[in-house]
Amino acid sequence: MYNNYFNNTNSNADLPSTPLIRNMLYVYKTPGTNIVGGPYIGGNYWGKPDGTGFSDTCSDSDSDGICDSQYVLTYFYSRPTNIDEFPLTRITPTPPTSIPEYSSMIMPVIGIFTLMALKLTRRKE
């Protein structure tokens, strides 16, 4: 089970598990557009309506759309049994570091050309 968008207050798939039964909640990281528009298919998106789900808040240091850590959904006697090894996250575009500044000479230059054009097109009487 992979490439699904879970967005609920429980943020947990209701999956049966025991130490002998584990659910595959992912495929290995594969190029391709995932359910939230990222560049790789892997696990699932684990969100919550209030924006506090695992996928909503996880870190993604290399901006590949895959959380840096796995998501453990259930434990059986303190042992993780349902794990998403490649949970998805949204890639947030990084804003530019600076906005280019334009010379203050642009407006006066435009004004000069406008005046010249008006002077050249004026009719003589």
Side-chain angles (χ1 to χ4, degrees):
M1 182 172 78
Y2 63 93
N3 206 30
N4 294 288
Y5 186 91
F6 297 106
N7 187 23
N8 55 52
T9 54
N10 200 11
S11 193
N12 195 335
D14 189 17
L15 302 169
S17 62
T18 69
L20 300 176
I21 300 172
R22 288 186 64 189
N23 295 292
M24 280 293 279
L25 301 175
Y26 62 93
V27 293
Y28 290 100
K29 182 177 166 183
T30 307
T33 304
N34 65 40
I35 194 79
V36 290
Y40 292 98
I41 295 170
N44 300 285
Y45 188 89
W46 304 97
K48 286 187 177 180
D50 64 0
T52 62
F54 184 84
S55 293
D56 299 323
T57 60
C58 71
S59 61
D60 179 19
S61 59
D62 58 1
S63 298
D64 64 352
I66 306 287
C67 298
D68 293 336
S69 56
Q70 65 184 10
Y71 179 47
V72 179
L73 282 81
T74 54
Y75 290 88
F76 189 83
Y77 293 106
S78 301
R79 295 187 66 186
T81 54
N82 288 319
I83 304 168
D84 188 340
E85 295 283 346
F86 301 99
L88 305 175
T89 189
R90 286 192 170 97
I91 298 173
T92 306
T94 52
T97 54
S98 65
I99 298 172
E101 292 185 26
Y102 295 100
S103 170
S104 60
M105 291 300 294
I106 290 176
M107 288 310 291
V109 169
I110 291 172
I112 290 169
F113 285 118
T114 304
L115 288 175
M116 288 173 61
L118 287 173
K119 204 170 199 180
L120 291 174
T121 56
R122 190 178 240 183
R123 290 182 141 178
K124 291 184 181 181
E125 293 181 21

